[in-house]
Amino acid sequence: LFAFFMSRDFYATKKNYLMEEKKLRKEIQESEHDPLTGLVNRRGLERRVNDSLQKSINRQETVAAFVMDIDLFKSYNDRFGHVQGDACIKRVARSIAQTVKGYGIAARIGGEEFLVFVRGGSVQEMYDLAERIRADVEAMGISRGTPGAGVVTISIGLDVRYATPDVTLQGLYGRADKGLYQAKQDGRNCVRSTQMIRERRSRIG
């Protein structure tokens, strides 16, 4: 009889533990994902990238950050309203996620801004992937709503380098963001990398 009650108490304790563990996993999952797009958020991105960076250092492989945002999104949002603006962000996020599936991590890090982290591959391969991301968004043909205004597009900044102990997500983001700024300066709907910026400065010099 004693053994029966002990086993029953043990089962109840184990059941409660499993329920609490499941609840905790759900809370962590929700805290690391953007509710609008379903992509990971900054918190989720940082945890995943920190784990990935160590693996890349051990394997002596390259890592890359793609920073991108929707071109002229404020004017789109002002014209169509926040509901349609959110729908646009969701469609762009879905396109980005589908293009990089199997390659890396896609995150929403701000209003209309996204970051993709990828391990392995040459500078050219990373640039080609960035071009596919850009082209796939443009190919959706989301109208900007006025004749001659074209469709919704994104600009992308890219930074690629070998993983070393001093490489961080913050550093990758900062350099890729400079590429994004250059893409905006060059007319939007294009990809610019930190490597391309250095080459351009070298030619000018």
Side-chain angles (χ1 to χ4, degrees), residues 9-75:
D9 289 344
F10 175 77
Y11 174 77
T13 301
K14 184 178 181 181
K15 183 178 179 181
N16 288 336
Y17 171 78
L18 291 174
M19 289 176 65
E20 287 297 321
E21 189 178 42
K22 183 178 180 181
K23 180 181 177 182
L24 180 61
R25 283 200 304 268
K26 183 180 179 182
E27 289 174 352
I28 292 173
Q29 176 82 358
E30 290 175 348
S31 72
E32 292 189 347
H33 283 78
D34 171 53
L36 177 65
T37 63
L39 300 182
V40 295
N41 57 21
R42 281 181 180 268
R43 179 178 178 178
L45 178 70
E46 288 174 359
R47 185 176 68 81
R48 288 162 175 78
V49 169
N50 288 337
D51 292 342
S52 292
L53 278 174
Q54 189 56 55
K55 293 177 182 177
S56 294
I57 292 169
N58 295 339
R59 296 175 184 176
Q60 297 183 319
E61 62 186 6
T62 57
V63 291
F66 306 65
V67 177
M68 60 202 79
D69 70 15
I70 302 173
D71 294 324
L72 302 171
F73 182 72
K74 185 180 184 304
S75 63

Side-chain angles (χ1 to χ4, degrees), residues 145-200:
T146 56
V151 298
V152 168
T153 59
I154 60 172
S155 297
I156 303 177
L158 170 64
D159 183 59
V160 187
R161 58 197 57 240
Y162 276 99
T164 59
D166 62 338
V167 172
T168 63
L169 174 60
Q170 183 177 3
L172 289 167
Y173 171 80
R175 288 182 293 270
D177 195 51
K178 291 180 181 177
L180 175 60
Y181 176 80
Q182 188 63 55
K184 297 293 188 181
Q185 293 295 303
D186 289 347
R188 303 182 180 88
N189 190 26
C190 60
V191 178
R192 294 293 181 265
S193 70
T194 48
Q195 287 77 10
M196 293 167 68
I197 294 172
R198 285 198 300 271
E199 289 169 4
R200 177 182 298 182

